[in-house]
Every structure is written in structure tokens, then in C-alpha cells.
Amino acid sequence: MDSPPLTRLSIPLDSLRMQALEAGPADGPLVLLLHGFPELSESWRDVLPLLGEEGYHAVAPDLRGYGGTDRPARGYDLDTLAEDIEQLAHHLQPGHPVHLVGHDWGGAIAYHLAALRPEVVDTLTVVNCPHPSVMLRRIWKPAQLRRSWYMFFFQLPWLPERLLSAHGGQRVPWLIRRGMAPGTQVSDERLSPYAANLSHPAAARAAVEYYRQSMRDLLNPAHARRMLWEYPRIRAPFRLVWAEEDPALGVELTTDLEPWFEEAPDVSYLPGVGHFAPLEAPEQVATRIVEHVKSRRRRAVH
């Protein structure tokens, strides 16, 4: 299907200038949608207008280091990445909490912001990203350790970004297709923006730096203790949308989540969908988001 036209924004924040895609009425409730690796705001292209049609002001930024957003040498730790999104929320809807949605790395940032700055987040929806504390506990299990091989590969110096950027970023569409459910059809044209972005060595280095910084944090005893034992429970109503054909993240990461949330978490599964659910099944993802946001509004009324 043809992708609908969207408005492109350039937003000056205190920390950096952020580029984003936008749909829906500017005075509607704000929904921020955060992409993952190796993606862009483009990943939400078919989700944004569906939220806009429901009356939401839907905004998907390019995260720090990606696309048209600034690419500083540092700042790829979760604290700084979450602060970027807090600034974006305040810029777009000052004084009001937002509906926050994240996929993959965007999900990790969304969890972190919701945990540390609860006043910023009204509802939290995460697509195929485990809670950081759950991932930290279970990444060492043999099955998940095998699935997470790429996280350890990305710790090598210079080689990962060189491979990503080589030959016009041609490996990037291959990586995305590997994460999709078998039989999923997606055109080369649709994946070309991701290849073009990571064909720039500096962009590839920034994307890999997310993983390098997370491993440095993982090996820091103070950080690990904070994530395992001192991480605040998330106050916002939470829905986890989980595509079942994800080859990188096991479905066992969706269980036993209650200790990390003040309200009982809701898990909604997408059978036959792979890791890149916003690309593979945008209508299903949009429906799950809208259901969750509307259920929060119904509870607030009553």
C-alpha cells in the first residue's frame, strides 16, 4: 500500500535538535512513538496516520544519532536518551503527561523514562522489548544468550559499524528481513531509508554505541544493582505488545512482570508477526495502542 504523507518536524531541544514525523491534530492527546535498531521514525509511518484518525497528535522522532536528529559523540546511555524524550514531551505538550510507545531500543528508553519520571508518562505501551530488569536477569539463560549474540558482536571496536555502513548500508535491509516472520513481504524501496541512514559511518557508530554503552552499564556493579534491586516500579498503566515470531527475543521475557509495575501489566500477543511489528503489522500495532490509551481514559472518567 502507498504510505500516506506525513508532516516532518525539526525540533530544537536543550540537548540536541530532533527530527520527527507527525500526524493528527496538534491539539490532540500526544502520543510519542520511539523506534528501535536499525530503524528510524519511518518505522511508524503506517501507524502514525491511524492514530491521527483517532484524534491523537502522534509524533515519532528519530532518536539520538539516527536520521535527521543530531549525532553527538556521547550520550547513548539510558539516562540521557530518556532525558531527550522528556524534553521532547515538554516541548510538544508542556505541563501534561504523554502516551509513550516504544519498540526495541525505543521500548528500553520508554521503560526508563516511565520508571524515573512518572509524572511525564500517562500510559506506557511497549512493542517487543523486555523490561530492562527482566532482560538483565534472563539474558544469561542459554536460549536468550544465543539469541542475543549480536549484542556481544557490537562490543568489538570499529568492525560492526564498518560492516553496517559498507556498500551503501546493504546489510541493513538484510538484518531487518531476518527479524521478520517467515514469508513477510516488504519492498526494497520501503527499507531503503534505513540502508541510506546507516551507510554513513558516523550514523552506524552512533547506532552501535547504544549497545556498547548498555554493556558498559551492565558490567558496572553499581548500575547492575540499581537495575536489579533499586529500579522504581512503573506507575503508568502498561501494555506489552509482543509479536510471537521474534527471533531475537524469547516469549519467556513476557512473563512474571508484576514486580516491576504498580498496576497489573497487560500483555497482548501478535501471532505470526516478527520482531519489526510496526513495519510488519501496523494496523494491529495501532489497534493495540489505541485500545490501551482509551482504556486509561475510561478509567479516569470513572
Side-chain angles (χ1 to χ4, degrees):
M1 66 179 177
D2 293 331
S3 296
L6 300 170
T7 303
R8 191 170 296 276
L9 305 175
S10 181
I11 304 165
L13 305 176
D14 290 342
S15 56
L16 43 64
R17 179 172 289 275
M18 183 168 273
Q19 182 173 278
L21 293 176
E22 174 189 50
D27 59 351
L30 180 61
V31 181
L32 294 182
L33 303 107
L34 314 181
H35 68 81
F37 170 88
E39 301 176 90
L40 295 163
S41 56
E42 281 283 326
S43 300
W44 301 103
R45 174 169 287 279
D46 293 326
V47 176
L48 287 163
L50 299 176
L51 299 181
E53 290 169 4
E54 294 286 340
Y56 297 104
H57 182 200
V59 177
D62 290 333
L63 297 177
R64 174 179 289 244
Y66 281 90
T69 292
D70 287 348
R71 198 174 295 138
R74 296 178 178 83
Y76 298 94
D77 58 284
L78 272 178
D79 287 340
T80 305
L81 294 167
E83 185 179 345
D84 289 343
I85 303 307
E86 181 182 359
Q87 290 181 26
L88 177 64
H90 179 73
H91 179 90
L92 293 172
Q93 188 173 273
H96 297 281
V98 304
H99 301 290
L100 189 59
V101 181
H103 168 245
D104 186 77
W105 259 107
I109 298 167
Y111 283 123
H112 203 64
L113 182 58
L116 298 186
R117 297 302 300 269
E119 72 280 5
V120 177
V121 181
D122 194 1
T123 66
L124 175 64
T125 307
V126 172
V127 184
N128 281 69
C129 178
H131 186 283
S133 299
V134 173
M135 187 63 175
L136 184 57
R137 289 169 182 267
R138 300 183 187 175
I139 191 174
W140 308 112
K141 302 287 186 181
Q144 185 55 53
L145 199 59
R146 287 193 298 272
R147 295 188 185 103
S148 301
W149 65 270
Y150 60 94
M151 298 183 186
F152 299 94
F153 171 71
F154 284 157
Q155 305 310 309
L156 297 174
W158 65 262
L159 180 60
E161 51 262 57
R162 181 168 293 184
L163 289 175
L164 284 172
S165 62
H167 308 295
Q170 69 177 15
R171 288 185 177 87
V172 177
W174 175 80
L175 282 173
I176 293 174
R177 286 194 171 99
R178 278 197 62 182
M180 292 180 167
T184 301
Q185 300 295 319
V186 59
S187 69
D188 292 340
E189 181 182 6
R190 186 63 197 275
L191 298 183
S192 63
Y194 309 106
N197 176 56
L198 292 186
S199 69
H200 301 285
R205 188 205 67 82
V208 172
E209 191 61 24
Y210 281 61
Y211 291 95
R212 290 179 178 148
Q213 183 61 54
S214 70
M215 187 61 69
R216 288 192 286 268
D217 290 340
L218 181 64
L219 297 176
N220 180 318
H223 178 86
R225 183 175 64 252
R226 173 196 183 196
M227 299 300 288
L228 283 172
W229 310 114
E230 301 169 5
Y231 207 58
R233 285 158 61 93
I234 290 174
R235 189 173 73 195
F238 171 63
R239 167 169 274 190
L240 179 60
V241 179
W242 199 268
E244 294 180 352
E245 298 296 322
D246 190 330
L249 298 167
V251 72
E252 66 274 7
L253 296 170
T254 68
T255 62
D256 302 321
L257 304 178
E258 289 78 9
W260 311 109
F261 298 90
E262 292 190 3
E263 295 186 17
D266 170 57
V267 183
S268 178
Y269 295 98
L270 299 179
V273 181
H275 177 74
F276 294 96
L279 280 166
E280 297 176 64
E283 295 88 355
Q284 293 185 62
V285 170
T287 296
R288 300 306 197 279
I289 295 168
V290 171
E291 286 175 351
H292 184 48
V293 172
K294 286 186 174 180
S295 71
R296 166 64 163 175
R297 294 175 68 182
R298 285 195 296 270
R299 286 196 299 271
V301 169
H302 295 296

